[in-house]
């Protein structure tokens, strides 16, 4: 099992395509928890992911229950990125089979999903800033996880 980025009901095809490209380039699986706010064969998804979409390892789940059952069966930890966490993502000791879960661009994840997370972390931002772009957030967190796991460990 390998590190993966999971997108909970993503709204924007361009973000999902960019994250698929990120996953292809870094060897990270991308899991999409449906329903998505766009057709997963949408031209915008392919445009953002360019020719990397064919290289990406995409796993689709028909809903959150199917995703959660699969990750529990595999014994994988769910690390939720949320604005409702006290600790920052750089303080998380990532594991090789973690699932990095990111919520919808428009609404995050529901409270029931939030409650099921094994770890909750945030990306610290300046006061008054609401959020970062989903693809930027995924890249930041995946980069830290890979730094810890593949590229030299803790600082």
């Amino acid at each position: 099992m390998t590190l993966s980025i999971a997108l909970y009901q993503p709204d924007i095809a361009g973000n999902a395509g960019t994250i698929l490209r990120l996953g292809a380039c870094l060897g990270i699986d991308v899991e999409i928890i449906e329903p998505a706010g766009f057709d997963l064969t949408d031209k915008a998804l392919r445009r953002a992911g360019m020719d990397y979409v064919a290289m990406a390892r995409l796993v689709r789940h028909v809903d959150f229950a199917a995703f959660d059952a699969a990750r529990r069966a595999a014994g994988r930890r769910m690390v939720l990125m949320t604005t409702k966490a006290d600790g920052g993502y750089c303080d998380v000791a990532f594991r090789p089979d973690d699932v990095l879960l990111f919520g919808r661009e428009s609404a995050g994840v529901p409270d029931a999903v939030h409650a099921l997370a094994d770890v909750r972390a945030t990306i610290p931002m300046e006061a008054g800033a609401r959020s970062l772009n989903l693809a930027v957030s995924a890249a930041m967190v995946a980069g830290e996880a890979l730094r810890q796991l593949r590229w030299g460990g803790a600082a």
Side-chain angles (χ1 to χ4, degrees):
M1 201 51 52
T2 183
L3 185 73
S4 69
I5 296 170
L7 306 178
Y8 179 87
Q9 300 179 355
D11 294 319
I12 301 170
N15 284 335
T18 300
I19 293 167
L20 281 167
R21 182 177 182 177
L22 174 75
C25 290
L26 298 180
I28 299 172
D29 294 351
V30 177
E31 303 185 52
I32 294 183
I33 302 163
E34 298 183 39
F38 53 88
D39 182 352
L40 289 175
T41 61
D42 185 47
K43 190 185 328 181
L45 182 66
R46 289 190 308 275
R47 182 174 55 242
M50 297 173 47
D51 56 340
Y52 293 95
V53 171
M55 289 176 54
R57 296 186 309 252
L58 173 62
V59 178
R60 292 170 60 177
H61 302 279
V62 296
D63 57 23
F64 181 77
F67 160 79
D68 197 43
R71 73 131 188 129
R72 285 178 185 272
R76 300 179 75 196
R77 186 172 74 156
M78 182 170 57
V79 179
L80 174 64
M81 298 309 304
T82 175
T83 58
K84 300 174 188 171
D86 294 326
Y89 74 102
C90 290
D91 298 325
V92 174
F94 290 100
R95 298 178 186 168
D97 61 350
D98 277 346
V99 179
L100 310 177
L101 179 63
F102 294 84
R104 295 182 77 165
E105 292 94 336
S106 62
V109 299
D111 290 342
V113 172
H114 198 279
L116 292 174
D118 299 298
V119 176
R120 290 165 206 82
T122 193
I123 298 173
M125 294 184 287
E126 294 295 313
R130 286 191 331 254
S131 66
L132 291 165
N133 171 274
L134 176 63
V136 169
S137 298
M140 290 174 66
V141 177
E144 173 59 18
L146 291 176
R147 182 193 69 79
Q148 290 181 24
L149 298 169
R150 294 186 197 162
W151 302 332

